Amino acid sequence: EVQLVETGGGLVQPGRSLKLSCVASGFTFNNYWMSWTRQAPGKGLEWVASITNSGGSTYYPDSVKGRFTISRDNAQNTLYLQMNSLRSEDTATYYCTRGGTHGVMDAWGQGASVTVSS
Amino acid sequence: DIVLTQSPALAVSLGQRATISCRASQSVSTSSYNLMHWYQQKPGEQPKLLIYDASNLASGIPVRFSGSGSGTDFTLTINPVQADDIATYYCQQSRELPLTFGSGTKLEIK
């Protein structure tokens, strides 16, 4: 069974940093692209970052480019999201997702809640 | 960025057909694939993939769910609707970066 378990969420002040982790199991981690997608309270879904299976390339939307960094440790089956210079608008539940073919997100974690507030 | 437009809500009766639409601001199809995907999100849960590449049923998804469309116009159909289908449905395109989602259609029971 595919499992994605996010940790590291919490309350953080504006301008500070936070790092999320996602431990994967039930599949061959290094065969898949991975992504983070977030959902602000009561709002829709927003793609945040993607990384290739080797970790050699990463992709971001303009809203987080330069502030967020996605990375992975294939030996530990773990995906990361380093979030710097956090803003109130980054408040959301952050989902770790597995990338299927053609950019689809075919498995989702339960989410990690991040609140940016003073 | 490719903008995906969905109606906010749809009310249907149990046992009837629900048709949820998603319109893209530009084509999300290539010569080989229609790069539109559909997800279901129940309250308090993470999203779940229903349909990929416009018309392919994801693993474990009941056959009452189906998808169609190409270019800029796509449809998710649920037939017949069951009480367990109450959820918000999102479309997502992967034709180009940034990956984008529609704003979601909330399915309600009449």
Side-chain angles (χ1 to χ4, degrees), chain A residues 29-65:
Chain A
F29 184 67
N30 60 13
N31 282 352
Y32 289 84
W33 284 43
M34 297 294 293
S35 298
W36 291 95
T37 295
R38 68 185 178 184
Q39 185 170 37
K43 302 297 185 181
L45 300 168
E46 181 187 16
W47 168 68
V48 170
S50 292
I51 187 167
T52 57
N53 55 322
S54 67
S57 294
T58 57
Y59 306 89
Y60 308 91
D62 288 345
S63 57
V64 307
K65 194 175 295 182

Side-chain angles (χ1 to χ4, degrees), chain B residues 6-85:
Chain B
Q6 297 182 247
S7 297
L10 177 66
V12 298
S13 301
L14 291 176
Q16 299 302 303
R17 176 195 306 260
T19 302
I20 297 171
S21 64
C22 177
R23 175 163 288 177
S25 59
Q26 62 192 77
S27 176
V28 299
S29 299
T30 69
S31 58
S32 301
Y33 301 102
N34 298 303
L35 297 173
M36 183 66 79
H37 322 293
W38 291 93
Y39 302 87
Q40 176 194 62
Q41 186 178 32
K42 296 180 180 180
E45 296 185 5
Q46 68 268 49
K48 177 171 69 174
L49 176 66
L50 295 177
I51 301 285
Y52 65 95
D53 294 356
S55 60
N56 296 295
L57 202 62
S59 176
I61 303 302
V63 296
R64 64 177 185 278
F65 291 91
S66 62
S68 63
S70 65
T72 61
D73 291 299
F74 296 86
T75 300
L76 171 70
T77 301
I78 311 171
N79 188 29
V81 168
Q82 298 184 359
D84 187 53
D85 301 333

